[in-house]
Amino acid sequence: DAGVTQSPTHLIKTRGQQVTLRCSPKSGHDTVSWYQQALGQGPQFIFQYYEEEERQRGNFPDRFSGHQFPNYSSELNVNALLLGDSALYLCASSLTGQGADTQYFGPGTRLTVL
Amino acid sequence: AQSVAQPEDQVNVAEGNPLTVKCTYSVSGNPYLFWYVQYPNRGLQFLLKYITGDNLVKGSYGFEAEFNKSQTSFHLKKPSALVSDSALYFCAVSVPRNFNKFYFGSGTKLNVKP
């Protein structure tokens, strides 16, 4: 049973560039959430996708956008990169409608902005 | 506003001794509570969760957690620590009917010494 997968593992960009991160959820899951984990901090919720729609959003600017595909995989896009966007980006999948939906996390994408 | 506090940045314990990692929360409504563990350069691994019922929850790798509603706490415990338990531990809370948006604490680094 494949768990949550993310690509790429590492990424280096320069300020002002745009980046796309990808996530495939755990088999059977239909919901994908994205988190940003800065060094030494806990994960911060960016947004969540269900049925190809963004249904919940955290306190992140519009430079952060996403998409969910019919196969439930998801992308996170960040435009106009800032140095402060350097972080580990975590994708988590879950199954909506199962009570307390445990979120299962992927290994993350380490983004470095120079 | 929902929040999670992990008052200890680091916990040191000798192998074979019991360990406790503390977590307190502040939410409106009844919370769902989770513990995750993160090893270096890895994503978060689910340990256990509390939804309702028995205040003592058992999880993976011999870990357990005790829910205390009056103290709004959800401390992680293990009767006998192993060196391999050394990692970063995160407490998280979600609120029912909030589409499973997770709020994480800042993390506690557990060091288990031989």
Side-chain angles (χ1 to χ4, degrees), chain A residues 19-87:
Chain A
V19 68
T20 298
L21 311 182
R22 296 176 176 81
C23 171
S24 291
K26 182 178 170 66
S27 178
H29 285 183
D30 58 7
T31 304
V32 173
S33 303
W34 287 93
Y35 293 82
Q36 180 195 66
Q37 186 179 14
L39 198 61
Q41 297 183 20
Q44 298 291 316
F45 178 79
I46 303 175
F47 43 53
Q48 184 179 88
Y49 277 83
Y50 172 68
E51 292 187 339
E52 303 180 48
E53 296 285 335
E54 180 186 296
R55 71 173 180 181
Q56 182 93 218
R57 189 176 183 93
N59 188 26
F60 280 81
D62 292 343
R63 298 187 297 108
F64 290 77
S65 63
H67 188 76
Q68 186 180 34
F69 299 93
N71 67 353
Y72 307 120
S73 66
S74 176
E75 288 182 349
L76 164 65
N77 300 294
V78 186
N79 294 323
L81 284 168
L82 303 174
L83 295 179
D85 295 331
S86 295

